[in-house]
Amino acid sequence: MPTLYTQAENNIKKTWFLITSFLVFIIFIGWIFSRVFENPLILYLAVIFAFFQSFASYWYSDKIVLAMARARPIEKKDNPELYRIVENLCIGAGLPLPKIYIIDEDQPNAFATGRDKNHAVVAVTRGLLERLERAELEGVIAHELAHIGNKDMLLQTITVTLVGFVAILSDWFLRMSRYSFSKKKEKGFEFLFFFAILASILAPIAAQLIHFAISRKREFLADATGALITRYPEGLARALEKIASYPRSMKFASNATAHLFIVNPFRGSKIANLFSTHPPIEERIKALREMSL
């Protein structure tokens, strides 16, 4: 059972395991494609691109996520009260001040991203600032700072770019396979070709499962850590109630970035919520209200 003190170390291990697995997966897919198209250059390109993509995911994935969310940076003069809240909570959490971004969305929500605590970002929506009371806003910010302190955000952010790339790679092969199948009839080719087709169909599904591989317990842990920072679990509990009760989905959220937010930005059926990377909001609120500090 992970604790507040072991979770950060575990997340570092998970991050490097994820990157290594991605490298192996891309090389394997490249080998299959090179056999199907009878061109070893494909394998070499797959290896080069896998290393390049992993490097880019580590250094630039936060910028990609912020661009996808259409978040814009703000300075202290733009919102002094928000800056004071973040500064005070960073002192309590023992963290350097992250960059602060605003998302022009009516839905109240927030996320943290960045490769480490010295290159971290906290992004909040306009709706969050408009609808939450100060104690509730402090609870949300503390939750996001907990993700930074627990080193959750790098693991979450890298997932965004890897899932997207696997989907593109799969789509590319399925399109190219039509030409390959019509041109090649060598013995044993059909088996390899249909194995590659199967891999291409299953690859995006496997990539989506990465979302579920990132344990829902990290949200419970961030809730608990955030409550310890503010010393007021009720503030975060009320914030979660308000965020979850908002009826409309975010305009600029995507399936690739949904797991980053404090609450799932999509509003759907209970069946859809079963496949969410977020634990049920009722369970999170109950856990917060049962905390004793």
Side-chain angles (χ1 to χ4, degrees), residues 71-137:
R72 58 180 177 82
I74 64 169
E75 298 178 0
K76 190 170 186 176
K77 64 182 181 180
D78 300 318
N79 196 321
E81 182 179 359
L82 175 60
Y83 256 83
R84 281 194 293 270
I85 290 174
V86 178
E87 286 172 341
N88 291 337
L89 291 172
C90 283
I91 293 172
L95 293 170
L97 182 70
K99 294 180 181 178
I100 301 175
Y101 279 65
I102 298 291
I103 305 170
D104 190 21
E105 289 266 12
D106 197 49
Q107 184 193 102
N109 223 318
F111 70 83
T113 185
R115 63 181 182 270
D116 56 46
K117 65 181 182 180
N118 296 315
H119 302 86
V121 172
V122 170
V124 300
T125 65
R126 172 177 49 80
L128 191 83
L129 300 178
E130 294 174 349
R131 288 173 169 78
L132 267 57
E133 299 173 6
R134 183 183 178 92
E136 297 164 351
L137 181 59

Side-chain angles (χ1 to χ4, degrees), residues 264-282:
N264 193 326
F266 299 115
R267 299 295 179 260
S269 65
K270 291 185 178 181
I271 294 177
N273 290 337
L274 291 175
F275 299 95
S276 171
T277 54
H278 294 72
I281 204 73
E282 298 80 7

Side-chain angles (χ1 to χ4, degrees), residues 3-12 95 143-154 217-218 220-226:
T3 67
L4 295 176
Y5 306 103
T6 62
Q7 184 69 10
E9 182 180 349
N10 289 339
N11 277 336
I12 293 174
L95 293 170
H143 172 100
E144 299 308 332
L145 292 178
H147 278 311
I148 295 172
N150 294 337
K151 297 183 175 62
D152 286 327
M153 73 282 186
L154 175 61
K217 290 184 179 179
R218 68 174 176 79
F220 285 114
L221 184 67
D223 287 344
T225 308

Side-chain angles (χ1 to χ4, degrees), residues 39-55:
N39 187 349
L41 180 62
I42 294 176
L43 175 59
Y44 302 142
L45 290 175
V47 173
I48 294 172
F49 192 81
F51 279 97
F52 172 79
Q53 181 70 15
S54 296
F55 175 84

